Structures are given as structure tokens and as C-alpha cells.
Amino acid sequence: MTTIDINPATPTAPTRSRRRTIVRALGATTLTLGVIAAGGYLWLDRTSEVHNTGVAECTSVVPDGGSDTDLRAVCTTLSTMTAAWGRNDADAYGATFTENATYTTFLGTHYQGRGDLTEAHRALFEGFLKGTKLADSYLDARFYGGTVAIVTSRGDRYSDDKPAELSKTQTYTLVREQDGQWRIAAFQNTQRNPVMERVSFLFDPATKPLAER
């Protein structure tokens, strides 16, 4: 009698064929889902533009409170700050802030005091921010009691061509100090996440700002 030794660990041809079919099906499904996800992301990104882009000139903002003189003075401070960044001049940049100013970047880095933020920017201007400039568009300006102003803007930094779309939203709190000069007492910079913002608006339209409806 002839004994046939069947090794159960060795899959038969039909089994191998089924496995290949399953692997191919899973691969095709994964690829399809990836294409759908990528397409969905691109659609969300392309439909997430903002309507309220602000105005290019700070002095073109219609202020809430304050006088035209106050607005011009505040805008001069912001213009001086922007020009100092464009020259990569850390000392002139820091001089537009109060001695005890706070400065929070879009990364969440928090600087306390003029000296802290000046020295940090000295290093930045000598490093990966060397040669960069600032782009801004202004959303609003509000004055409180003649000595406090809050300016919100959209902004970005750039090296070559000025960006058409600004990726950050910024808040400047300025105060009129005893010498009569307006200086920045607090700065907050937030990176806009357009896709997540769009998703939030789609799931709950009531969260959309009035200016974006």
C-alpha cells in the first residue's frame, strides 16, 4: 500500500488563489478609500475660503470708538513693527512693544516681556526667519477708554512673493503709555486650519461666524 503524506501546513492551489483574491480586494478597497479621502480633503480645502478677508490698509478700518488720530497712531505702531520685521531688526521690532508685553506664537510659544521677545526674534532673524517679511490685512479696531486698542488682522510671513491668502489670524492689544506712544502690550497669533474649520461648519452651521454666512 502506498502512503500519501499530506502536509497540512502547505496550502493547496485553490487556497492560495483565494488568499490572493482577498489580498487584491483589500488592496483595491484601501486604494479606493484613499482616493476618496484625498478627494474629500481637497474639496474641503478648496471650499474653505473666508469671505471676511479684511482691508489692506490699517487706516481704512472703521474703528469702534476712538478718534481718527488714535487710529492713525495705532496703525503707525503696527506699520513700524512690520517694517522692522522686514529689515530683520530685532531691536526696532521689540521697541514697538511695552516693557512687560506678552507674545504668543501660533506654535503656542509664549514670551514674557520686551527683552524676551526681542532676543528670541534676534535669533529668529539670524536663522530661519532671515529675509522674511510680513503680510497683513486688517479686520477691525476697537478702542476702550482712550488708552486701550484691540486690532485683529489676518497675517502671514513670506520670503518671495506676497501670499494671496493669509494663513493666520492675529490679535494685537495696544496701550497708550505715559509718553503718548501706542505700544503693543499683548500679541496672539493663531494658525488657521481651513479643513477642520470647514468640517466644523458643515457639522454645525451655527458655529459659523456671521461674516462667513
Side-chain angles (χ1 to χ4, degrees):
M1 178 180 294
T2 301
T3 302
I4 300 175
D5 185 13
I6 300 177
N7 184 355
T10 303
T12 62
T15 300
R16 289 196 297 270
S17 179
R18 285 195 297 272
R19 287 180 179 175
R20 284 196 296 269
T21 300
I22 292 172
V23 169
R24 289 172 180 168
L26 288 173
T29 300
T30 301
L31 179 61
T32 300
L33 290 174
V35 170
I36 292 172
Y41 184 92
L42 288 174
W43 176 78
L44 288 168
D45 188 48
R46 290 175 180 175
T47 59
S48 61
E49 68 278 359
V50 295
H51 302 303
N52 186 17
T53 57
V55 295
E57 297 296 330
C58 177
T59 51
S60 296
V61 172
V62 178
D64 180 357
S67 65
D68 290 340
T69 300
D70 289 336
L71 179 63
R72 285 195 299 271
V74 163
C75 291
T76 296
T77 297
L78 297 178
S79 177
T80 300
M81 177 207 66
T82 300
W85 181 299
R87 299 192 307 273
N88 289 176
D89 186 338
D91 291 315
Y93 185 77
T96 62
F97 292 82
T98 63
E99 188 66 33
N100 62 349
T102 58
Y103 190 106
T104 306
T105 73
F106 71 93
L107 296 175
T109 306
H110 182 73
Y111 298 104
Q112 187 80 40
R114 179 189 290 157
D116 194 17
L117 71 91
T118 298
E119 293 310 311
H121 281 83
R122 193 185 313 282
L124 290 168
F125 290 152
E126 293 173 356
F128 73 91
L129 290 183
K130 187 175 182 178
T132 61
K133 299 179 181 180
L134 293 181
D136 291 286
S137 65
Y138 296 90
L139 297 171
D140 62 49
R142 290 162 287 149
F143 288 85
Y144 299 90
T147 58
V148 177
I150 297 176
V151 177
T152 53
S153 68
R154 299 194 188 279
D156 222 329
R157 67 172 186 266
Y158 65 100
S159 298
D160 298 316
D161 296 330
K162 191 173 182 178
E165 185 174 345
L166 304 180
S167 68
K168 302 178 183 71
T169 304
Q170 304 162 149
T171 301
Y172 298 91
T173 301
L174 299 97
V175 296
R176 191 206 305 266
E177 297 200 291
Q178 290 185 351
D179 62 0
Q181 293 294 315
W182 287 89
R183 294 186 178 89
I184 304 164
F187 171 71
Q188 169 72 46
N189 196 14
T190 302
Q191 178 78 45
R192 181 171 174 258
N193 188 326
V195 172
M196 291 306 297
E197 184 182 63
R198 176 72 166 145
V199 169
S200 173
F201 295 164
L202 286 172
F203 276 94
D204 193 348
T207 63
K208 184 179 289 190
L210 290 175
E212 301 301 321
R213 296 181 185 177

